Amino acid sequence: MERTIIRDYLEHGASTIGFNSIHLEDSNELVYYNNTNDKFVRFSLDSFTGIEYDYPDISLKTLTLAKSGKIFGSLNSNTIVEISPTTGEIIEEIFVNDSTLDFLSYSESTGRFYWLDNASDNSVVYIYNPANQVKTAVPFQENFTKIFTDY
């Protein structure tokens, strides 16, 4: 079911919403990490109010939401972590990578994490399986729809 939210700016005022926001359907909230002032933010789409949690010296990037409601992100651009959707606290450190984790994705059906490394001349898609702690590197191809079923 789709729904449209119409906002009355005269009544509620303007609000800044994070570019990489994740929508939590059960609570109708957006969650995101504000890198400018190191805050994890929960923003209600019902009341148009937000709650901020301070996290000095921590930089979360690339938040991704699993169907189960778990939120994953990259901490300081090199560590995969699970994050509490309520407070933004780090629940678990899952994997430390030796390079930057940009564009982090998670497949709930396989339980694997995926990210793209553009730093070298040849881009590489990395796949990490927490179940057996194996990290696989696959050369990036323009059309790689079959790539994820092979690993």
Side-chain angles (χ1 to χ4, degrees):
M1 174 166 75
E2 291 185 30
R3 72 176 159 187
T4 302
I5 298 172
I6 299 174
R7 169 118 187 218
D8 183 347
Y9 286 99
L10 295 176
E11 180 181 342
H12 298 290
S15 297
T16 303
I17 296 175
F19 176 70
N20 291 322
S21 300
I22 296 173
H23 182 243
L24 303 178
E25 285 191 44
D26 1 340
S27 60
N28 199 25
E29 293 176 312
L30 296 176
V31 296
Y32 60 95
Y33 187 78
N34 183 335
N35 288 318
T36 306
N37 54 9
D38 296 326
K39 293 180 185 288
F40 181 83
V41 181
R42 289 177 54 204
F43 185 81
S44 170
L45 293 174
D46 295 325
S47 66
F48 296 104
T49 58
I51 300 171
E52 296 180 340
Y53 300 90
D54 289 325
Y55 289 100
D57 302 324
I58 290 179
S59 180
L60 291 172
K61 308 266 187 209
T62 320
L63 297 181
T64 184
L65 177 67
K67 290 180 183 177
S68 64
K70 291 182 177 183
I71 297 178
F72 301 102
S74 61
L75 171 65
N76 300 325
S77 296
N78 72 338
T79 305
I80 299 173
V81 293
E82 182 180 348
I83 302 163
S84 164
T86 308
T87 64
E89 291 182 70
I90 295 168
I91 297 172
E92 178 184 4
E93 187 177 284
I94 298 169
F95 176 71
V96 179
N97 192 38
D98 53 0
S99 62
T100 303
L101 287 163
D102 284 328
F103 313 108
L104 181 68
S105 295
Y106 175 71
S107 167
E108 194 148 26
S109 62
T110 64
R112 295 181 176 118
F113 293 91
Y114 304 89
W115 64 93
L116 181 63
D117 183 356
N118 286 323
S120 62
D121 291 337
N122 299 320
S123 297
V124 175
V125 173
Y126 285 100
I127 304 166
Y128 176 69
N129 185 348
N132 60 12
Q133 300 179 352
V134 171
K135 178 177 131 182
T136 307
V138 180
F140 177 76
Q141 299 167 7
E142 203 54 43
N143 184 359
F144 58 94
T145 54
K146 190 175 181 296
I147 206 169
F148 296 134
T149 59
D150 291 341
Y151 293 92

